[in-house]
Amino acid sequence: MDGFIGREKELSELESIYSKKGFKSLIVYGRRRIGKTTLLENFIKDKRALMIYSSESSFYENFTRFKRSVSSFLHRDLSEVDSFSEVMDLIADDMISNGGVVVFDEFPYLIEEAPFIPSVMQLFMDRLRNSNSMVILCGSSISLLLREVHDSGRPLYQRFNHEMRLEGLSLRTCRQFHPDMDDLEALKVYMLVGGVPQYHLAMDRPTFRECIEKCFLSSTGVLRNEPMSILSELKPTENYSSVVACIGNGVTKQSKIASKLQLDRSELSKRLKKLEEIGIVGRHHPMLNSPKKPVYRITDGIVAFQYDVLESFDASGMIAWTESEKYDVMEQTIDSFLGHRFEDVCADFLRLEYRTLEVGRWWEIAETKDGDGYENEDIDIVARAMDRNNHECWLAAECKFRRRGAGHGDLCNLQRRWRSAGESGIPTFIVFSAMGFSDDLVEDSEDGRVTLFGIDELMGRTEPPDLGGLRHLRDE
């Protein structure tokens, strides 16, 4: 499917900045494939604008492309111009006289091979400060871009007065990428690739299975190497991929990761912080009396799929297999993977629809002889929220993504686990299920013992219930 989907809020914000008198400056950042370039292309399409594209190539290649773009914009032959500063001066002359927008797409790629460029950019922006123009820097190398504008020792420090971090699109928005899929198949795709537009455009088959076979299991699959491409934004890549591999292999506590990789805690903390910044890993948020030491997990869907599913199988032994044969063998593991990802979708739903103050999990650790411990009991989602009288209340949710619907036993297990958590008071019990609910659980719901959320609520086709006086965001 083609076309620009979503981003109404971001476009409105860009237009608001653009409409201000005088000089405007902005950085736009976010992970690979999130739609930064497409957003900015749509923003400038009806404006006098110059967009400069950079790639992971040599400075010579980027400069050649840069000159070509500027030459076309100014209608001027620049073949004899060999100085980056001189070309920037020509752009500045034009912007001072005529106004407009200048966008540097993937700016970090431009400066990697040419560290002098930020100093040239500083002079360029200083020349424009009394003009009616707008300069935008865009990049996927988040830490590098932010360092350039936030570090007091860098030339571009305090030169940008607006920032926009582009996050993933919502489930309901991403549903529009898949008009030929039913809701369940579209939900599966979202649980794998999240809100990344380019991934949804690649997953263009009518079923989730066909998308996996095409994009991941085929020798020419367009997303087969994407996990390493995501990690390649961090340098040196092997320092970060080793941490992700540990977490993917079930080593989730900081002390255990440090021991496994023979790293001191401070160095590991730096790596984990960067991985969290770009959304590759995250922490389980402990609720109630859960252990407070951080437990890490891979939050990026495609990276998690690589470690949880693809690396669980010996690819070298499947060279002659068809994509369909591979999927058959992996299907159970894929289903388990989707079950864990469903919890994230449900947690996001509560954050979106209700006035939640804190959303996390509860878990209980049973000790083993070696002192390692394992997760004995858990509640998929525990949340603190605010009711209409501004009183805090609790939510406790079970999330079921399986081939049969949720039943009365799932509610009983949830209630028992709440008692195990030792919290006084009765929460609003919730059961999420992508495959519907048994008759006895529906009766429980009608009697007020539990609230049920199915795929229609998740997709926004049915108005979500009130949750016993919990303040609903749409009421505000």
Side-chain angles (χ1 to χ4, degrees):
M1 178 178 179
D2 298 321
F4 184 65
I5 292 174
R7 300 299 186 201
E8 293 84 3
K9 179 180 177 182
E10 290 85 353
L11 280 172
S12 176
E13 186 175 341
L14 288 169
E15 292 291 350
S16 176
I17 296 170
Y18 175 75
S19 67
K20 295 177 181 177
K21 296 294 184 182
F23 179 60
K24 289 81 63 174
S25 57
L26 167 74
I27 62 168
V28 178
Y29 59 97
R31 56 155 295 156
R32 283 169 54 92
R33 316 294 192 201
I34 202 68
K36 301 180 296 297
T37 302
T38 305
L39 170 68
L40 293 172
E41 287 173 340
N42 274 269
F43 166 63
I44 66 172
K45 66 183 179 182
D46 59 350
K47 298 173 177 62
R48 184 176 189 276
L50 167 63
M51 190 151 184
I52 298 160
Y53 299 91
S54 299
S55 62
E56 289 185 281
S57 52
S58 68
F59 173 69
Y60 174 80
E61 292 170 287
N62 278 323
F63 183 52
T64 301
R65 191 183 304 112
F66 169 54
K67 282 202 305 179
R68 191 180 304 124
S69 298
V70 177
S71 175
S72 175
F73 178 72
L74 297 178
H75 305 289
R76 178 171 177 172
D77 180 18
L78 300 179
S79 58
E80 300 301 317
V81 179
D82 293 322
S83 165
F84 183 85
S85 298
E86 188 176 345
V87 179
M88 291 292 284
D89 282 339
L90 293 172
I91 300 171
D93 292 341
D94 177 82
M95 287 291 146
I96 291 169
S97 299
N98 305 306
V101 182
V102 185
V103 179
F104 292 85
D105 186 48
E106 292 299 354
F107 182 71
Y109 293 157
L110 183 62
I111 66 176
E112 274 188 318
E113 297 293 325
F116 65 87
I117 287 179
S119 295
V120 177
M121 181 68 70
Q122 176 191 28
L123 297 174
F124 171 74
M125 295 185 68
D126 287 348
R127 285 194 63 195
L128 295 181
R129 61 188 170 190
N130 294 318
S131 70
N132 190 33
S133 59
M134 184 174 184
V135 175
I136 302 174
L137 300 189
C138 170
S140 302
S141 297
I142 298 173
S143 57
L144 178 57
L145 183 60
L146 293 182
R147 185 191 70 186
E148 290 298 326
V149 300
H150 289 168
D151 188 334
S152 61
R154 306 298 297 172
L156 295 178
Y157 178 62
Q158 292 188 337
R159 289 303 193 281
F160 289 83
N161 46 24
H162 298 280
E163 294 186 11
M164 177 183 290
R165 177 166 187 152
L166 216 57
E167 303 289 357
L169 297 172
S170 69
L171 168 62
R172 295 169 194 177
T173 300
C174 290
R175 179 70 182 91
Q176 300 174 54
F177 287 103
H178 308 285
D180 297 328
M181 283 187 175
D182 64 33
D183 283 344
L184 182 60
E185 297 299 293
L187 174 60
K188 290 178 181 179
V189 170
Y190 184 82
M191 289 193 293
L192 170 57
V193 302
V196 183
Q198 288 299 318
Y199 298 161
H200 284 277
L201 290 171
M203 307 274 272
D204 59 358
R205 295 294 188 264
T207 68
F208 174 77
R209 175 176 180 140
E210 290 174 281
C211 289
I212 295 297
E213 291 176 359
K214 172 206 168 190
C215 295
F216 291 94
L217 303 185
S218 167
S219 59
T220 58
V222 294
L223 298 180
R224 289 178 73 240
N225 299 316
E226 190 62 16
M228 284 310 300
S229 296
I230 294 169
L231 287 167
S232 70
E233 299 293 338
L234 298 169
K235 309 293 184 185
T237 300
E238 61 272 15
N239 285 1
Y240 298 93
S241 61
S242 60
V243 176
V244 176
C246 267
I247 297 171
N249 290 328
V251 184
T252 57
K253 294 180 180 179
Q254 190 170 358
S255 59
K256 297 292 183 181
I257 299 170
S259 175
K260 194 80 172 176
L261 298 179
Q262 297 183 332
L263 289 174
D264 64 71
R265 295 284 288 271
S266 61
E267 173 61 26
L268 177 59
S269 293
K270 292 176 185 176
R271 297 184 190 182
L272 285 167
K273 182 179 178 181
K274 285 193 175 182
L275 288 166
E276 287 185 272
E277 281 178 357
I278 63 174
I280 293 178
V281 305
R283 310 179 192 195
H284 285 298
H285 185 67
M287 300 291 286
L288 306 176
N289 61 353
S290 299
K292 301 307 178 186
K293 289 186 178 179
V295 176
Y296 289 89
R297 58 189 288 263
I298 301 175
T299 50
D300 184 274
I302 281 188
V303 177
F305 189 73
Q306 175 72 29
Y307 287 98
D308 292 353
V309 178
L310 299 180
E311 294 202 3
S312 299
F313 298 88
D314 181 9
S316 65
M318 295 183 175
I319 293 176
W321 292 33
T322 66
E323 290 79 20
S324 181
E325 288 174 324
K326 293 175 187 176
Y327 192 96
D328 285 341
V329 171
M330 296 179 179
E331 187 167 18
Q332 188 173 349
T333 306
I334 291 173
D335 287 348
S336 176
F337 166 81
L338 292 174
H340 291 297
R341 302 297 298 180
F342 186 58
E343 295 173 14
D344 294 333
V345 171
C346 298
D348 286 342
F349 173 84
L350 291 178
R351 293 186 186 99
L352 174 68
E353 294 295 339
Y354 299 99
R355 194 175 176 81
T356 55
L357 303 171
E358 187 180 13
V359 180
R361 294 176 63 236
W362 170 81
W363 65 94
E364 179 183 71
I365 297 296
E367 293 296 328
T368 56
K369 289 182 179 179
D370 60 6
D372 214 6
Y374 64 92
E375 205 169 291
N376 184 43
E377 290 271 43
D378 75 296
I379 298 175
D380 294 336
I381 301 174
V382 175
R384 283 192 308 123
M386 188 77 74
D387 69 13
R388 288 198 180 95
N389 297 316
N390 290 331
H391 296 145
E392 288 189 14
C393 55
W394 289 99
L395 309 176
E398 185 81 358
C399 307
K400 293 300 178 186
F401 191 88
R402 59 191 183 195
R403 297 181 188 277
R404 68 182 190 279
H408 175 75
D410 296 311
L411 173 60
C412 292
N413 285 334
L414 177 59
Q415 292 170 329
R416 176 181 55 77
R417 289 167 182 163
W418 179 262
R419 291 191 295 270
S420 296
E423 182 66 26
S424 61
I426 303 298
T428 296
F429 289 112
I430 298 169
V431 175
F432 288 93
S433 174
M435 294 299 290
F437 308 94
S438 66
D439 290 342
D440 53 1
L441 189 56
V442 172
E443 289 180 13
D444 291 329
S445 174
E446 292 170 349
D447 292 340
R449 289 192 287 270
V450 64
T451 299
L452 307 180
F453 290 114
I455 200 163
D456 285 342
E457 285 80 14
L458 293 173
M459 288 295 181
R461 303 191 189 286
T462 300
E463 189 73 13
D466 182 68
L467 292 190
L470 180 65
R471 194 155 113 186
H472 196 291
L473 287 174
R474 293 182 192 173
D475 290 341
E476 298 184 337

